[in-house]
Each structure stands twice: as C-alpha cells, then as structure tokens.
Amino acid sequence: MISFLRGTVAHVGLSTAVIDLNGAGMSVYATPQTLSGLHVGEEGKVFTSLIVREDSLTLFGFADDDEREVFDVLLSVSGVGPRLALAVLAVHDPEAIRVAAHTGDNKTFTKVPGIGPKVAGRIVLELAGKLVPHGTAPAAATTAAEANWKPQVVAAMTSLGWSEKDASSSIEKALADEPEVSFRGNVPEILRTTLRWLGQDGARAGNRVGSRG
C-alpha cells in the first residue's frame, strides 16, 4: 500500500498533480484545496489512497491523514465511488462531513454536484456511527442525547395509550430505520417518526386512548 508521496512537484493540473520520486513521476487525483498547496519545482507531500481496479491502479491524494480517512469511509457507502467521494471532500472539509454524518444532515451532501436526495439519504444512513466529530465519543454522545429526549417521547406515547414498554420498543425500532432523526433529538419529530412507523396518526392514537378510557 502507498501511504504517501513526497518528492518534487513536477506538474499541477485542474484535478491531478505529478510528483517526481527520484525520476519516476507519480500522478495523483486530488481536490482543488490539496492541489493549491502544491507548487511546481518545490517539494510536496500528499497522503494517498490506492484504488485497484481490474484495468487500472489510481492514486488519490490528500492534504492530511484525516482527509484520507474520511475518503476511505465514504467509499464504504454503496454507490459512492472514488470520484464522488473526492467531490464530497472538494465541497466540504472533513470535520463538516463528520458533523453532517453524525447529525443526519442530508442537505450537506446534496450540495455536492452529482448527489441528489436519495444518495444523500443513503450516505447519512450508511455512515451512521462510522464518522463522528472529533472529540465526540459516539456511544456516550448518543446515550446522553437519548437521555434528554426519550423520556419525553415515551411520556407522549403513554398519554396516547401505549404502555411504556411498547412505546420504548416502538421508538427504538422506528429510529433504527431513520437514525438521523435520533441524532437531531427533536422530540416532536421523533414522535411523528415513531407514529408513522406504527402506521398511526394523532387522531387514531386518540381513539385508542378513548377506547381504553
């Protein structure tokens, strides 16, 4: 595996750069931000990720290891190839991507050319738990957030006629399908999501309470 390249910059183009390694020119694809830090005739260094295909070996270069890590994780999303992953990094810095993935912010990804709402939703869904903002412990952060909103949602559902056990179970199952809703921690949104998952709406839930009363 080629982890990084360091050598004299021989060429900088719109999407690629060539680094001279003792007489061998290595071409790498990179974002405009990374390319802007390379200057012809000067020493340059890029962290790299090698993509192996049946008919090609392609290097993608990054300004630091954090960019490369986010790039590699983005490649784990079904339907996201190296060019699209690089396009995401061209529009957003690694921390912005981590925050968007952690909070379920689809709109951040739709700002990238070539990514529509459907693909953005898949990215958020498949990155849940894989990318978190620096300094955030995934499990601890999720538990703390849940401790704030879950009792309120459970209370709302019990007032509509569900038992605490059924309410808690339904919330967990509903949010398993839409984890980005859980990350946002908005009580009304979580309640609506759970009721929708149950195939219920407010009026029908109210009838359920009436039938018990």
Side-chain angles (χ1 to χ4, degrees), residues 147-162:
N148 289 329
W149 59 253
K150 192 168 185 178
Q152 299 178 60
V153 180
V154 169
M157 291 189 67
T158 55
S159 72
L160 294 173
W162 278 273

Side-chain angles (χ1 to χ4, degrees), residues 2-213:
I2 302 173
S3 296
F4 68 86
L5 300 177
R6 175 186 285 147
T8 303
V9 178
H11 170 75
V12 178
L14 294 176
S15 59
T16 62
V18 177
I19 297 181
D20 184 344
L21 303 177
N22 298 318
M26 302 291 286
S27 178
V28 295
Y29 286 88
T31 64
Q33 298 93 311
T34 298
L35 293 171
S36 68
L38 301 175
H39 306 284
V40 174
E42 298 182 6
E43 183 178 86
K45 177 182 178 180
V46 290
F47 291 82
T48 57
S49 181
L50 178 63
I51 304 299
V52 180
R53 297 284 169 81
E54 290 183 2
D55 58 349
S56 66
L57 297 174
T58 307
L59 276 173
F60 289 84
F62 310 94
D64 54 44
D65 198 42
D66 191 32
E67 281 192 357
R68 180 176 60 185
E69 179 185 351
V70 171
F71 174 84
D72 289 339
V73 174
L74 283 168
L75 291 182
S76 69
V77 178
S78 57
V80 175
R83 301 299 176 91
L84 191 56
L86 196 66
V88 174
L89 281 164
V91 176
H92 302 295
D93 62 54
E95 188 66 6
I97 296 169
R98 291 176 183 278
V99 170
H102 186 62
T103 59
D105 181 6
N106 295 21
K107 291 183 179 180
T108 290
F109 294 103
T110 59
K111 293 177 182 178
V112 179
I115 295 182
K118 185 176 180 179
V119 175
R122 185 164 65 244
I123 290 174
V124 166
L125 180 63
E126 295 190 28
L127 290 186
K130 294 182 181 180
L131 285 178
V132 296
H134 285 306
T136 300
T142 301
T143 300
E146 186 174 310
N148 289 329
W149 59 253
K150 192 168 185 178
Q152 299 178 60
V153 180
V154 169
M157 291 189 67
T158 55
S159 72
L160 294 173
W162 278 273
S163 68
E164 287 190 12
K165 180 179 179 180
D166 288 344
S168 181
S169 175
S170 296
I171 292 167
E172 291 176 4
K173 291 176 181 178
L175 297 185
D177 293 336
E178 300 187 54
E180 67 276 11
V181 176
S182 175
F183 291 141
R184 287 193 288 271
N186 183 282
V187 172
E189 182 183 19
I190 293 170
L191 180 58
R192 287 194 301 269
T193 299
T194 305
L195 293 176
R196 184 169 63 248
W197 182 85
L198 287 165
Q200 300 282 344
D201 59 25
R204 290 171 61 188
N207 291 336
R208 180 174 179 173
V209 177
S211 65
R212 291 190 173 191

